[in-house]
Structure formats: C-alpha cells, structure tokens
Amino acid sequence: MLPDGKYTPEVDSEESAEPVIRPGLTYHLYHERIRGNIDGLDAVKQAAYLCLLTEQGSSPIFGSQYGLKKMDLIGTDQGLILGRLPRRIREALTRDDRITDVTDFIFTFPDKDSIVVDFRIHSIYGTVDGSHTVKVG
C-alpha cells in the first residue's frame, strides 16, 4: 500500500507534546519507471509535478479535487490566465499537507500557445523551485 504523504501530528503522551511528522516515503518515478524510493523534499517535488500534470477531476484514483484545472484556460485572454493561474497552482499544491505555500510566480511565453510558470514551493521539509508549462492555444 502506498503512503498518502499526509502530515498527521501525533503526540507521544509519555515524552512531550511535540508533533511527529510521518515520513512521506514514496516510489521514485524516473522516466515513467520506478527507481527505488524517495522521501522528504524530493518526494514533495515529485508530488507537485504529478499534481500539476493531472487535469483536475480527471483521476478516478485521486478524486475530483486532485490536480490543476487548466483545460478551461485554452483560448482564454492572456490577462485572465495570468490572474487565475497562480491561485489555481497554489490551491492545487497546498492540498498536500506537506506544502505550506507557493510563491514567486514568474511567467514566460515561449510561443503563442503556451505559458511557462516558474514558482517556489515551500514545504515542511524546505523550499524547492518548480516549473510547469500550460498549453493555452
């Protein structure tokens, strides 16, 4: 059974009231193959990548709230996309209890049909940079 990667505070009543972070150990996906296990910040980065790759509502395994809603952005005004995309990315990623915030969005436009979004993911394990390309045309 795969771990769900959720942060669940546990309290050891005999020692202290400090929360215990459950490990986010998961399979390491490398070019669509499993190559061992990863944990911590690497697992968070992989989870973010997979979440943004999935269209929200399209996965019967993860449920209707998992993923990034982006199909409705195709053909939409660029200003509207730039206003909605940071909020959608932040909401999609912070559903994972290990991710505390997503900041520092930078947009580039490699061609008329796509937008590359670079951002910073803050997690309970540290901070990592992320990037995602969204097709809009």
Side-chain angles (χ1 to χ4, degrees):
M1 183 165 155
L2 293 174
D4 63 7
K6 298 293 183 184
Y7 169 77
T8 306
E10 292 180 354
V11 177
D12 185 352
S13 59
E14 292 180 14
E15 291 186 19
S16 70
E18 292 291 320
V20 176
I21 299 172
R22 291 189 180 179
L25 187 65
T26 189
Y27 293 106
H28 179 207
L29 300 177
Y30 183 77
H31 295 287
E32 299 181 11
R33 295 187 183 270
I34 295 174
R35 295 187 98 179
N37 296 309
I38 55 174
D39 198 3
L41 197 54
D42 288 334
V44 169
K45 187 173 182 177
Q46 178 175 284
Y49 170 78
L50 294 173
C51 177
L52 296 179
L53 196 62
T54 305
E55 176 67 27
Q56 186 179 20
S58 69
S59 174
I61 296 171
F62 295 111
S64 64
Q65 294 302 308
Y66 181 81
L68 176 64
K69 184 177 179 182
K70 54 194 170 200
M71 290 299 288
D72 65 332
L73 298 177
I74 295 174
T76 304
D77 176 65
Q78 191 177 69
L80 192 59
I81 293 170
L82 297 180
R84 289 182 178 172
L85 208 48
R87 177 184 51 82
R88 288 184 181 185
I89 291 173
R90 185 177 294 112
E91 287 174 357
L93 295 182
T94 56
R95 286 188 188 104
D96 186 324
D97 292 341
R98 299 170 295 179
I99 298 175
T100 57
D101 200 5
V102 183
T103 61
D104 303 333
F105 291 91
I106 298 171
F107 299 95
T108 54
F109 307 92
D111 57 56
K112 66 179 183 144
D113 293 331
S114 59
I115 298 173
V116 176
V117 187
D118 295 306
F119 45 87
R120 184 154 286 153
I121 302 169
H122 304 273
S123 78
I124 61 174
Y125 301 110
T127 302
V128 65
D129 292 331
S131 184
H132 187 65
T133 301
V134 178
K135 297 291 183 189
V136 295

